[in-house]
Amino acid sequence: MRTSHMTTRSTPDACTLLDADHRAVKKLFNEYDEMAGSKAKRSIDARRQLAQRICVELTVHTQLEEEIFYPAVRAAIKEQDLLEEAEVEHASAKDLIEQIQSAQEVDEKFDAKVKVLGEYIDHHVKEERNEMFPKARASRLDLVAMRDELQARKEELMAEMEGVAA
């Protein structure tokens, strides 16, 4: 029996799931930075593969936010500017993702695009963590139920992406 839609810090919710994605992709960006610092020839294929993995993770994550999380938050909070900014940040990230995925060469420009994408994502994550997530948690949204919806959709999208990559 549920008496409230409010979530507590100890209950994993939609924000917890999205933030786990943030942490996982940050780890991938750090791994890429280390790899890019090593100019060994063998690292070119590994860098391309890792950059592609980052792009897939971010593509799925942004789709989850745009399909499920943002529309619900938009309906639940007054601060619409947070959502407008997040959507503009997503558009910039998608543009860089497309450039990285279609790049012919893994060179300094490629590395720079991955680095800038990482910086965009860092900025975006800080805003979500510090502003959007607290407002979503303070709203009447059932973020625990949304976590389950996000997880199911994430599994579908990852399966689709793996099917495309195969």
Side-chain angles (χ1 to χ4, degrees), residues 34-80:
E34 283 178 33
M35 221 181 267
S38 159
K39 295 297 180 195
K41 285 283 184 215
R42 63 173 176 72
S43 77
I44 290 175
D45 284 342
R47 285 184 1 239
R48 182 182 295 281
Q49 287 177 349
L50 185 54
Q52 295 301 328
R53 184 163 163 220
I54 288 168
C55 290
V56 165
E57 294 285 335
L58 289 174
T59 299
V60 167
H61 180 82
T62 56
Q63 193 167 337
L64 288 175
E65 287 184 336
E66 290 171 2
E67 283 181 10
I68 300 167
F69 188 71
Y70 289 174
V73 173
R74 183 178 296 281
I77 70 170
K78 289 186 174 107
E79 295 82 357
Q80 298 299 302

Side-chain angles (χ1 to χ4, degrees), residues 94-110:
K94 286 178 189 176
D95 182 51
L96 267 176
I97 287 168
E98 195 278 318
Q99 289 179 45
I100 291 165
Q101 289 180 319
S102 64
Q104 300 302 309
E105 298 287 320
V106 175
D107 56 12
E108 289 79 14
K109 185 79 97 189
F110 184 89

